[in-house]
């Protein structure tokens, strides 16, 4: 395979240089709250925290592909807004999961109950993230790969996240950090190294995820308007969060940004497990929040429910389902709605690769632009395509080119290459259809130094670019169009880098680092 | 004594309320880098940190006294600029320390050598902090003290810091934090508590230490002008710091603020122990900094030396003295100069209480305003006043009203009340004159909840208000005036609160908390 090591080391650092740089990074991270909580240390009065894993240097990425991903985001926003209002299509492509996947069953069940009660809010918000890697089309292992290979690669989508997209604040901070380190000259070359290329400010794109995401929630809040319930004097955005979260530094900055706006938007947090205890529905289904820390105060009417929890199957026990139902039935604008949540299933990503599928939602031109970012994705069901994929997946040789992914949302739980046949033999046949088989993306491999709790090492790395999109749309009542997009923007980006020998990309799990693309001109 | 407990609890919090509030505080501190490094955990690639101790609620303070302290700062700036240019007077009041105090000996020695070489920079910068407590004049233990006592107290100076003043960034952050908690309603009372007074935004003064201190250094940098040395292409502010500092979150924000200005001011850090290795003097005594992490780069000419190290006696070994001499001899603007450093000795504070002393430096009106903040301070030498003080200090009954302080700068190392006689009997008589005896300030005692690594407890507390001043002055060559003040401003404030039963006030040592004054109208 062509994804081999390319020596693009632009920096030969002395020991002094490296020590100084690592000190600068740690201090910057502490001072800017670019940290994770060390949960076992948490007590009422104190808690330890440690720096989020980061790349020491920004990693090269072609500017044209970066811009292309940015430009594409509005089309992806349009696509996933439309999908979330196409219940029929969504059901047709995910219904096979219902018998085998408890999460699919739970979400469809909650949607059905909501529909039965009548949907009282036709506006939805979405904070999406589309993830890409560069892909070297050339699969010939024998050719030599030049440092310019990043310019010969194309942009391929890893996955599309429509629910509880994380990493926005960290990505914002890492850009600020690498730009700071560049500005103060930490990456400056010595005179004898002048021949080598200097990292310049203009090659490090600024990032505005925190402002962009907050702005999307603020727009939704504004569209909701003043309180409808007589008992509430105030409206607010409600963040639904997981309890004991060690990753609060990714969520809190968005709350702070909302409170810090010229017209402050109140924002509160509520644990997934406390929804039924601390919220109620009025007769006309306004969602009232009763902050437990100010019981005697009048309740707050929730304008926008921003989901940062509810993405794991185990969260949907009986109480969890009732809780989500309470949110869905309410007049609050959901970020995102339950159908939007379902649209993030891998099964949907796979279905969109079928001929003509994109054209259901997009103009031919836009569909083509989106399709160009797809790698082949197969179902693993009993359709002809599925049966073909089953052959590939169980063949020890063929399987190396693939990743087996559960059909649900989010990263993780993937099975890579060689391990697929053994894994599938441990899974009962009916369950196979809850997986999809995706061709592996073969990214150019670069050199960088990564640092995190496990140490600081130089090595071969690969990167993943995510683009954050934010959108607000209204379901259409006429049958012509599915929805009217009220707002559609690109909030910012995320860029993660990991050692190339590691398959999974998750910074907070310790498998990768937040990074900044160093945009290179061809 | 009148400093007894006054019940001013304005807040009866439920358990839920308190848990939520503590979570909000910890998360805010992590996200805003309001932290200390846990030094034993520091490695190249990672380091743990923990929240700085803070008060859970802002503590009441009379607005008039706060404003008075703010207004007085410019007078104090003027006073200490003038003192720093009055070598003769400074020498006369501190010369007795030279035989007994190694730090005094070292600093005067360095000054003498600098003078011999010729002083080549007649502009100095100062970042000062004047510390106050409220003092209840009434010493009658039997009278009952009303909650309004804070309005019956006067403002008394604890000490004046002219060197390496810390806490500015933390104080800035705690104000931001308490204001945030107020804005989001964390201190709102429930309906049944409406009778009690609500904490309002307008009672919590904003704080701008970080900007103010950076601005002072930037002004000095601008006054220095372009590089004079041919080998340097750039000028920069040099922070002289202690190595392995766990308190970087108090220093780094000032560097970041300098780099972040519309016209960025380069700022670098240099450990006290590395001054001789990494700096050099040109023939015309420009101070060149050779960053060890970019050896081959051209050196940086230092415009301003900002001292955050060099305040401890042990730092002045032979190498330490040479290092300080190198800085002093240079054309860099010192923040502060060595005479300014000497002006921060407690012995100077004591000498200023002598009749007529202030009038040497200030107009009668200004002198009176400053003197009103003094409590009696005695020398412990063999002068008549000193002999009187020795009697007081060795009398077990009388000594209770006093604090014995080493004549040098900085807090700590104080001996309180009853412990003075025993302590003095352990000290040889010639050394007695290196101490001063100060009347204890008797502050009103309030109620608050303090949190820090040791826990969170409600209790009786006392507070200390510090005002940060920043100034830039030029030594005058005519004999009429000592100096011309080029800039004179108040940067911001600091407010620290501790349990009343603890004598020493040092947040980073764990004895106190950063706090925000809740300004109360009489």
């Amino acid at each position: 395979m062509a994804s081999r090591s390319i020596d693009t080391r632009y920096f030969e650092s002395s020991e002094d240089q490296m020590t100084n740089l690592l000190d600068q990074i740690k201090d910057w991270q502490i001072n800017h709250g670019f940290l994770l909580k060390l949960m076992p240390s948490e007590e009422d009065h104190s808690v330890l925290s440690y720096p989020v894993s980061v790349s020491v240097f920004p990693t090269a990425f072609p500017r044209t592909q970066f811009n292309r991903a940015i430009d594409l985001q509005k089309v992806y926003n349009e696509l996933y807004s439309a999908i979330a209002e196409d219940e029929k299509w969504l059901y047709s492509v995910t219904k096979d999961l219902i018998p085998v996947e408890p999460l699919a069953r739970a979400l469809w069940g909650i949607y059905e109950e909501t529909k039965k009660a009548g949907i009282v809010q036709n506006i939805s918000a979405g904070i999406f993230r589309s993830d890409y890697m560069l892909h070297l089309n050339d699969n010939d292992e024998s050719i030599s790969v030049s440092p310019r290979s990043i310019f010969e690669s194309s942009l391929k989508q890893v996955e599309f996240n429509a629910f509880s997209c994380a990493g926005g604040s960290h990505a914002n901070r890492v850009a600020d950090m690498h730009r700071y380190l560049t500005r103060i000259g930490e990456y400056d070359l010595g005179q004898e190294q002048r021949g080598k290329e200097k990292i310049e400010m203009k090659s490090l794109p600024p990032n505005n995820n925190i402002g962009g995401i907050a702005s999307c929630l603020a727009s939704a809040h504004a569209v909701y308007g003043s309180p409808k319930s007589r008992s509430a004097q105030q409206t607010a955005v409600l963040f639904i969060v997981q309890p004991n979260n060690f990753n609060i530094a990714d969520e809190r900055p968005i709350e702070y940004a909302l409170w810090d706006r010229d017209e402050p938007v109140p924002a509160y947090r509520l644990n997934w497990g406390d929804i039924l205890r601390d919220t109620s529905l009025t007769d006309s289904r306004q969602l009232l929040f009763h902050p437990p820390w100010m019981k005697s105060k009048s309740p707050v009417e929730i304008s926008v429910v921003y989901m940062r929890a509810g993405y794991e199957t185990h969260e949907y026990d009986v109480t969890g389902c009732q809780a989500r139902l309470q949110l869905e039935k309410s007049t609050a604008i959901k970020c995102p709605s339950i159908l939007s949540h379902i649209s993030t299933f891998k099964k949907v990503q796979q279905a969109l690769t079928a001929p003509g599928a994109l054209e259901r939602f997009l103009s031919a031109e836009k569909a083509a632009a989106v399709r160009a970012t797809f790698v082949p994705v197969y179902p693993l069901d009993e359709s002809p395509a599925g049966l073909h994929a089953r052959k590939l997946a169980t063949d020890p040789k063929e399987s190396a080119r693939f990743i087996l992914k559960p059909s649900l949302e989010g990263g993780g739980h993937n099975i890579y290459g060689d391990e697929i046949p053994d894994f599938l033999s441990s899974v009962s046949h009916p369950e196979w259809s809850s997986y999809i088989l995706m061709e592996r993306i073969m990214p150019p491999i670069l050199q960088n130094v990564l640092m995190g709790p496990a140490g600081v090492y130089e090595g071969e790395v690969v990167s993943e670019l995510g683009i954050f999109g934010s959108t607000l749309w209204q379901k259409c009542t006429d049958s012509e169009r599915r929805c009217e997009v009220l707002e559609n923007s690109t909030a910012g980006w995320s860029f993660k880098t990991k050692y190339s020998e590691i398959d999974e990309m998750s910074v907070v799990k310790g498998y990768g680092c937040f990074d900044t693309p160093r945009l290179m001109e061809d």
Side-chain angles (χ1 to χ4, degrees), chain A:
Chain A
M1 276 156 287
S3 58
R4 23 200 321 183
S5 177
I6 301 165
D7 187 358
T8 56
R9 264 172 293 189
Y10 40 78
F11 195 93
E12 313 258 340
S13 57
S14 69
E15 206 177 310
D16 272 341
Q17 221 160 3
M18 192 50 95
T19 304
N20 185 268
L21 185 50
L22 299 184
D23 280 352
Q24 286 281 5
I25 290 174
K26 283 179 293 185
D27 282 5
W28 196 97
Q29 290 196 251
I30 289 175
N31 277 283
H32 294 82
F34 191 9
L35 303 168
L36 295 170
K37 273 188 187 173
L38 186 70
M39 284 315 289
S41 76
E42 177 136 35
E43 293 179 87
D44 267 359
H45 59 276
S46 199
V47 59
L48 295 173
S49 50
Y50 59 96
V52 175
S53 300
V54 295
S55 70
V56 171
F57 303 98
T59 305
F61 197 88
R63 186 184 289 274
T64 48
Q65 302 291 16
F66 180 83
N67 289 342
R68 190 154 161 254
I70 293 278
D71 291 345
L72 261 181
Q73 190 57 36
K74 288 192 186 178
V75 182
Y76 267 113
N77 290 345
E78 184 187 334
L79 172 62
Y80 276 82
S81 308
I83 291 175
E85 298 303 344
D86 194 338
E87 175 201 332
K88 205 173 132 189
W89 183 84
L90 255 188
Y91 184 75
S92 74
V93 303
T94 62
K95 68 176 188 301
D96 288 349
L97 298 175
I98 295 174
V100 284
E101 280 293 355
L103 182 57
R105 198 155 55 239
L107 297 184
W108 275 115
I110 293 161
Y111 176 69
E112 288 305 328
E113 280 208 58
T114 310
K115 224 170 72 168
K116 221 179 287 168
I119 290 171
V120 290
Q121 178 57 270
N122 62 4
I123 293 175
S124 295
I127 292 167
F128 301 145
R129 201 188 70 229
S130 185
D131 291 336
Y132 307 91
M133 290 179 100
L134 293 177
H135 179 57
L136 289 168
N137 299 306
D138 190 342
N139 269 337
D140 181 352
E141 216 171 332
S142 64
I143 64 154
S144 92
V145 179
S146 85
R148 290 187 39 79
S149 292
I150 57 166
F151 300 115
E152 287 148 24
S153 60
S154 56
L155 193 70
K156 293 297 178 188
Q157 189 179 51
V158 177
E159 63 181 7
F160 190 87
N161 301 282
F163 190 77
S164 194
C165 298
S169 301
H170 293 322
N172 200 139
R173 280 165 166 158
V174 83
D176 293 345
M177 184 184 84
H178 282 130
R179 286 170 61 87
Y180 168 76
L181 294 170
T182 302
R183 193 178 330 129
I184 69 171
E186 281 292 323
Y187 300 134
D188 278 5
L189 302 170
Q191 271 151 350
E192 81 278 20
Q193 293 173 312
R194 277 283 153 75
K196 304 203 180 184
E197 222 175 332
K198 196 175 155 182
I199 300 180
E200 288 179 291
M201 284 300 278
K202 66 178 185 194
S203 65
L204 303 182
N207 201 355
N208 186 32
N209 283 329
I210 297 171
I213 293 170
S215 184
C216 172
L217 296 171
S219 288
H221 176 77
V223 162
Y224 183 87
S226 52
K228 276 83 190 164
S229 154
R230 260 187 243 165
S231 54
Q233 284 152 12
Q234 188 197 38
T235 57
V237 176
L238 190 64
F239 284 49
I240 304 293
V241 297
Q242 289 189 332
N244 309 314
N245 187 356
F246 75 129
N247 194 17
I248 47 101
D250 195 53
E251 295 172 356
R252 287 287 199 184
I254 303 167
E255 287 175 63
Y256 300 145
L258 285 168
W259 281 103
D260 201 36
R261 293 173 69 88
D262 291 340
E263 300 221 359
V265 175
Y268 298 100
R269 294 167 74 78
L270 179 60
N271 282 336
W272 176 260
D274 296 333
I275 295 172
L276 293 175
R277 189 193 69 183
D278 297 333
T279 69
S280 62
L281 285 184
T282 65
D283 288 344
S284 44
R285 289 208 255 152
Q286 280 87 42
L287 183 66
L288 298 184
F289 173 51
H290 312 269
W293 60 89
M294 34 182 178
K295 283 209 177 83
S296 51
K297 233 196 134 180
S298 48
V300 177
E301 185 171 322
I302 298 307
S303 54
V304 183
V305 170
Y306 177 40
M307 303 298 292
R308 292 295 295 249
Y311 49 86
E312 289 179 297
T313 304
H314 75 81
E315 291 173 288
Y316 290 88
D317 55 9
V318 176
T319 317
C321 287
Q322 282 175 342
R324 182 77 190 263
L325 180 62
Q326 174 129 316
L327 305 179
E328 290 300 318
K329 277 164 72 178
S330 78
T331 58
I333 295 175
K334 271 69 74 181
C335 181
S337 71
I338 205 145
L339 288 186
S340 198
H341 187 171
I342 291 170
S343 78
T344 208
F345 288 179
K346 296 287 184 302
K347 192 73 196 166
V348 171
Q349 187 184 3
Q350 175 259 307
L352 288 174
T353 65
L358 286 171
E359 283 76 1
R360 182 177 174 97
F361 305 102
L362 297 172
S363 70
E365 194 191 356
K366 288 175 177 175
V370 166
R371 186 173 293 114
T373 66
F374 288 172
V375 291
V377 189
Y378 304 98
L380 218 64
D381 55 19
E382 292 176 349
S383 69
L387 294 175
H388 171 66
R390 286 181 178 198
K391 261 192 206 154
L392 297 171
T394 51
D395 182 320
K397 264 195 153 174
E398 292 282 0
S399 70
R401 286 193 297 124
F402 292 96
I403 304 175
L404 186 72
K405 295 186 171 186
S407 293
L408 301 181
E409 77 79 46
H413 314 293
N414 296 336
I415 314 296
Y416 294 87
D418 305 339
E419 293 165 13
I420 298 173
D422 275 0
F423 175 81
L424 281 177
S425 68
S426 75
V427 172
S428 75
H429 269 237
E431 278 177 60
W432 283 26
S433 44
S434 68
Y435 289 88
I436 58 151
L437 191 71
M438 185 170 169
E439 259 195 38
R440 288 189 86 153
I441 298 174
M442 293 302 176
I445 293 179
L446 303 178
Q447 200 80 16
N448 203 342
V449 183
L450 307 184
M451 78 187 274
V456 49
Y457 302 104
E458 180 160 5
E460 299 187 335
V461 300
V462 296
S463 301
E464 185 177 300
L465 174 69
I467 307 294
F468 276 90
S470 82
T471 175
L472 196 63
W473 71 87
Q474 180 160 17
K475 188 183 176 63
C476 289
T477 42
D478 59 284
S479 56
E480 290 283 300
R481 299 173 310 160
R482 284 176 197 87
C483 66
E484 185 187 356
V485 174
L486 307 175
E487 289 199 21
N488 182 355
S489 17
T490 301
W493 48 266
S494 83
F495 192 65
K496 297 179 218 166
T497 296
K498 64 178 175 64
Y499 296 115
S500 58
E501 67 268 27
I502 293 166
D503 285 319
E504 188 171 348
M505 177 73 87
S506 165
V507 178
V508 295
K509 287 188 200 163
Y511 299 135
C513 291
F514 280 99
D515 192 358
T516 305
R518 183 187 174 200
L519 300 182
M520 311 293 278
E521 321 291 337
D522 194 354

